[in-house]
Amino acid sequence: MSDNRKRVIVALDNMDKKEVDTFLNEYSSDISIVKIGMELFYRYGREYILAIAQKYKVEIFLDLKLHDIPSTVYKSIRSLEGLPIKFLTIHLSGGNSMVREALRARDNYIKNCKILGVSVLTSLDQSDCNDIWANSSEEVFKNLYKIALNTHIDGIVSSAHELEVAQHLDKNDKNTPLKVCPGIKFATTNDNDQQRVMTPSQAFDQGADYLVIGRAITQDPQVLTKPELFV
Ligand code: C5P
């Protein structure tokens, strides 16, 4: 695959094993990376990751969103040793020490994996940010992004709407984390309840390196056979 679909992470949400198999049997040749979240990981475990990677020749984005004391995060990542994971998520709000321990565990146990820090969950609105951090969502994002820059984490997960702020902060820094963005819909999708979504091309234009797309693909998998939708 030599088009932008290489930069799309297909989220395997709301599916059981059988449904995942049906989907990947048909479409794995149009998919480069799949996202396995807590839903599938808690149910089927580490062997499932190995099986999916081997059977369908796809790379794995393991979305565990780790957030705990630094030593627990270190040991959790140690438990992933031996798995073919391309990306693993943690929460930036775990703080500098937790992120550093995650990176140290990666170096020791899953060398080829990139650690991505989740910034502000896109499900949180302004009033949630006030309740949790007594701050605006933009300020919260900036503070979390500074943790990403300080720790030299490999990348962040954020709405493509935050990328302008991130790029502004990147200007003062040599280290520019990868930007991985969910909240993507195709232009043809008729969603009026989603104000913070972007099309693939809008998000790539904003500077996204990778996109996470779930329902817009899994509910209409034919889109995977149309590379032009990802340009
Ligand atoms: O909305 P969609 O089905 O494309 O979601 C795919 C993934 O993106 C979800 O598994 C979730 O982790 C993430 N997501 C998000 N913020 C949203 C919607 C989805 O972070 N507003």
Side-chain angles (χ1 to χ4, degrees):
M1 201 191 301
S2 61
D3 55 70
N4 266 348
R5 289 175 301 171
K6 267 195 322 214
R7 301 200 280 152
V8 171
I9 296 153
V10 179
L12 303 177
D13 298 330
N14 313 307
M15 283 190 247
D16 63 16
K17 242 182 190 172
K18 209 168 150 215
E19 289 164 326
V20 168
D21 277 331
T22 305
F23 174 65
L24 290 180
N25 267 321
E26 187 151 6
Y27 294 102
S28 63
S29 59
D30 295 307
I31 298 174
S32 179
I33 311 166
V34 296
K35 183 182 97 138
I36 294 184
M38 292 182 242
E39 201 184 330
L40 288 174
F41 188 68
Y42 290 155
R43 185 175 291 263
Y44 303 121
R46 51 179 291 134
E47 295 307 317
Y48 189 61
I49 306 230
L50 280 168
I52 292 284
Q54 280 166 8
K55 183 163 180 203
Y56 297 108
K57 311 280 178 255
V58 288
E59 295 186 295
I60 305 291
F61 178 112
L62 185 58
D63 193 18
L64 296 186
K65 295 192 173 71
L66 299 175
H67 186 173
D68 209 316
I69 59 170
S71 68
T72 299
V73 168
Y74 181 93
K75 286 180 260 180
S76 307
I77 294 175
R78 184 175 69 189
S79 301
L80 300 172
E81 187 173 18
L83 293 181
I85 308 169
K86 184 180 174 80
F87 296 110
L88 172 70
T89 56
I90 65 173
H91 271 287
L92 289 171
S93 53
N96 285 294
S97 305
M98 191 203 85
V99 174
R100 290 204 172 95
E101 281 300 271
L103 294 171
R104 201 168 68 84
R106 182 276 310 280
D107 292 344
N108 289 337
Y109 301 107
I110 44 171
K111 279 195 177 41
N112 297 323
C113 174
K114 292 195 186 306
I115 303 286
L116 304 177
V118 175
S119 57
V120 185
L121 285 175
T122 53
S123 54
L124 300 180
D125 63 14
Q126 195 56 60
S127 89
D128 292 314
C129 288
N130 268 323
D131 291 345
I132 305 169
W133 291 288
N135 217 335
S136 70
S137 55
E138 182 169 331
E139 286 305 310
V140 173
F141 176 78
K142 275 189 196 163
N143 290 336
L144 292 173
Y145 194 68
K146 284 178 194 161
I147 293 177
L149 293 175
N150 285 340
T151 54
H152 293 194
I153 196 170
D154 303 299
I156 61 149
V157 181
S158 77
S159 155
H161 292 269
E162 324 278 19
L163 293 186
E164 212 178 317
V165 173
Q167 277 148 2
H168 192 69
L169 294 168
D170 281 341
K171 277 191 202 136
N172 308 319
D173 212 291
K174 273 189 258 147
N175 151 48
T176 56
L178 288 171
K179 315 291 189 304
V180 179
C181 300
I184 306 296
K185 293 278 180 284
F186 297 101
T188 49
T189 313
N190 213 357
D191 266 333
N192 44 22
D193 60 334
Q194 306 249 25
Q195 287 162 17
R196 289 178 57 75
V197 298
M198 283 196 193
T199 63
S201 71
Q202 286 168 333
F204 285 132
D205 284 351
Q206 285 294 310
D209 296 293
Y210 291 89
L211 309 180
V212 178
I213 311 181
R215 288 159 296 177
I217 287 177
T218 54
Q219 291 176 359
D220 183 14
Q222 276 298 314
V223 293
L224 281 168
T225 63
K226 299 174 186 159
E228 66 277 11
L229 288 176
F230 299 87
V231 171

